[in-house]
Amino acid sequence: MPTQASDLSREVLETHEMMSLPVDPFAIAGIEEIELAPGKYTDGFDARIEFIPEATRFAIYYRPPGSGRPRGRVNFSIAHELGHFYLPHHREQLLRGEMHNSTSNFRSAAEQEREADEFAANLLMPRDLFIAEVGRFRQRVCTLNELSELSSERLGTSLTSTVRRYCQCDIEPCIAVFSRNGVVQWAMPSADMKVMGMGYVPFKEPVPRDSKTREAFQTDEVGTAVDGRVMATTWFENPAVECVWEDVIILGRTGFAITLLTPDE
Ligand SMILES: [Zn+2]
């Protein structure tokens, strides 16, 4: 279902004749004469766009690649800030001098962040181009390692955003589960996976006891990748299949893991 954010990202790419991969969000910022201000910021900071009234232009402050931020993540952050620039109600707030992250209404702030993320994912990975790219890369479906290679070699995107997009685009029945220190943070199912009764994993709960993800967290190695077949009931209450293939990557030393579950028959 196209949304304002996805329609708008498409319009931006078409207007600037940039409808091809990889998409360079820095080039788009340049065309829009947005000032790019890299700097040494505190660890929790990724990027922020502001309107500078004196200069009558926008500026994006950001942590550049290499300063503890991989290029894919920086690209996503810039694309996210471009979402605040292009989405009309976000831009109005910026022009009024309200920073998008200082909105007092938490729900509307969270909603705006979600919209900007959606804009960014659609801008960097337009649906049809993304599906075609996956098809060219690995005969239609991908493992996490292959998505990792695709994101860094071809798309210039983060693994997290690429895996989310892979599920959103319904390329195969699958669900991505993102966990930290063994606790589920969020999950993104494909539409087909929901139909098969495997579209929901409870948040804020420990990853299942007999899962490969639990196993991966228990090993101390950095960059651990574990995969294997598990009973579908390990993860889901009423799955339509008996087994799922579980593919897990632990991301560096951050305590984050991405799990990709697909039906295995
Ligand atoms: Zn934001």
Side-chain angles (χ1 to χ4, degrees), residues 5-171:
S6 65
D7 285 346
L8 198 55
S9 65
R10 172 166 290 276
E11 198 182 310
V12 168
L13 293 173
E14 281 169 355
T15 304
H16 298 316
E17 295 179 0
M18 293 175 79
M19 191 54 93
S20 63
L21 296 175
V23 172
D24 180 3
F26 285 89
I28 297 172
I31 291 168
E32 297 291 359
E33 298 187 353
I34 296 169
E35 191 179 327
L36 288 161
K40 289 179 185 160
Y41 297 101
T42 52
D43 202 39
F45 182 86
D46 279 294
R48 187 178 68 237
I49 187 166
E50 274 178 31
F51 179 66
I52 317 287
E54 303 77 37
T56 56
R57 64 191 292 194
F58 288 85
I60 294 176
Y61 306 94
Y62 69 101
R63 280 177 62 149
S67 56
R69 292 289 186 273
R71 171 162 291 282
R73 177 162 168 177
V74 176
N75 281 344
F76 193 85
S77 298
I78 299 296
H80 171 105
E81 298 307 316
L82 288 173
H84 292 309
F85 174 81
Y86 283 113
L87 287 156
H89 52 293
H90 297 220
R91 182 196 286 237
E92 281 162 27
Q93 276 192 12
L94 290 169
L95 288 171
R96 284 199 301 270
E98 294 170 19
M99 276 181 283
H100 67 84
N101 55 357
S102 64
T103 312
S104 55
N105 182 333
F106 176 76
R107 190 174 292 168
S108 98
E111 175 63 16
Q112 290 203 353
E113 289 311 287
R114 201 194 53 71
E115 283 177 341
D117 277 348
E118 194 193 336
F119 177 91
N122 279 276
L123 186 78
L124 299 179
M125 294 168 277
R127 186 183 175 92
D128 36 0
L129 294 189
F130 181 77
I131 292 171
E133 190 65 33
V134 167
R136 258 197 299 280
F137 191 71
R138 282 289 184 268
Q139 313 295 326
R140 212 175 76 81
V141 297
C142 282
T143 63
L144 279 182
N145 268 327
E146 288 163 353
L147 286 172
S148 173
E149 198 181 326
L150 183 71
S151 62
S152 60
E153 306 292 317
R154 286 289 302 136
L155 302 170
T157 52
S158 66
L159 177 59
T160 305
S161 64
T162 308
V163 173
R164 275 185 80 104
R165 195 73 180 132
Y166 184 76
C167 297
Q168 274 179 341
C169 286
D170 285 322
I171 291 167

